[in-house]
Amino acid sequence: MLSKTIEEALNNQIRIEAESSQIYLAMACWAEVKGLEGVSNFMYAQSDEEREHMLKLVKFVNERGGHAKISQLAAPNVTFKSFKEMFEKLFDHEVYVSQSINELVHISLQEKDYATHNFLQWYVAEQIEEEAVARTILDKINMIGDDKGGLYLFDRDIENLTVTTAATNAPE
Ligand SMILES: [Fe+2]
Ligand SMILES: [Fe+2]
């Protein structure tokens, strides 16, 4: 059974994951109209992943005797000055989500809710991955600078981007 405090905190995270999905969907659209198909497909996939993160939380809240709240979402940015700016925003957003997950873990310990604490470990590991991917992309974008040929290759390769982190090899 979830305490009201935990239920509220989890519902807040449900909103954040839903907003992440919308933010990345808007980025996918922007990349698509700018003609970068690879970046666009990558962002559509990121948007789907965020929806999965949200659904996982929704199911958990409902299964544990709470009621998942589907709330109004903040409107995302729909245009960007450059791809660099777009990926900077993506990285900043992932860092923000990680902070929010950390806060949630902290609350679960305060409430002595070890089931929720255990459930949240998946999100802790996921955020390590997401930050690493965002950082890798940003490094590549910074290397490319204004080089159109570089951007072409980046767009071609981004869908096959794999990033290995300490969490990737962590024991289950
Ligand atoms: Fe997420
Ligand atoms: Fe994410």
Side-chain angles (χ1 to χ4, degrees):
M1 194 67 193
L2 298 175
S3 72
K4 277 289 151 207
T5 307
I6 290 280
E7 186 177 354
E8 248 173 58
L10 288 169
N11 272 324
N12 183 54
Q13 192 62 34
I14 286 171
R15 181 185 50 77
I16 289 174
E17 299 294 344
E19 283 177 352
S20 303
S21 181
Q22 293 296 89
I23 290 168
Y24 297 163
L25 187 59
M27 288 179 176
C29 289
W30 187 74
E32 193 160 47
V33 298
K34 290 281 168 190
L36 287 196
E37 205 189 331
V39 172
S40 164
N41 286 340
F42 177 80
M43 292 314 305
Y44 278 122
Q46 293 301 306
S47 174
D48 285 347
E49 265 190 34
E50 298 300 346
R51 183 177 157 78
E52 290 295 319
H53 298 170
M54 177 200 70
L55 277 176
K56 216 172 149 80
L57 281 157
V58 163
K59 298 276 185 190
F60 181 76
V61 169
N62 291 339
E63 274 168 22
R64 299 284 300 157
H67 188 169
K69 209 172 102 205
I70 306 306
S71 59
Q72 190 171 18
L73 306 177
N77 251 346
V78 292
T79 56
F80 305 90
K81 276 189 277 195
S82 61
F83 281 98
K84 184 172 181 280
E85 191 204 42
M86 191 191 93
F87 283 115
E88 277 168 357
K89 289 241 156 81
L90 183 145
F91 178 71
D92 291 348
H93 186 71
E94 287 300 334
V95 170
Y96 160 75
V97 173
S98 297
Q99 285 164 351
S100 163
I101 294 290
N102 283 349
E103 184 56 28
L104 206 44
V105 171
H106 179 71
I107 295 168
S108 72
L109 285 178
Q110 275 182 329
E111 293 284 303
K112 297 193 169 68
D113 184 342
Y114 300 112
T116 297
H117 182 267
N118 184 55
F119 168 76
L120 288 172
Q121 297 315 302
W122 184 86
Y123 287 84
V124 172
E126 178 67 12
Q127 282 314 118
I128 295 174
E129 299 271 353
E130 301 249 280
E131 277 190 40
V133 168
R135 194 176 291 114
T136 302
I137 290 174
L138 211 48
D139 286 347
K140 286 185 195 292
I141 286 281
N142 281 327
M143 251 183 326
I144 293 165
D146 295 327
D147 178 32
K148 289 253 190 288
L151 191 59
Y152 173 83
L153 292 176
F154 173 76
D155 184 57
R156 192 194 62 182
D157 295 340
I158 187 169
E159 285 179 84
N160 300 318
L161 181 90
T162 49
V163 176
T164 307
T165 68
T168 314
N169 301 317
E172 290 286 307

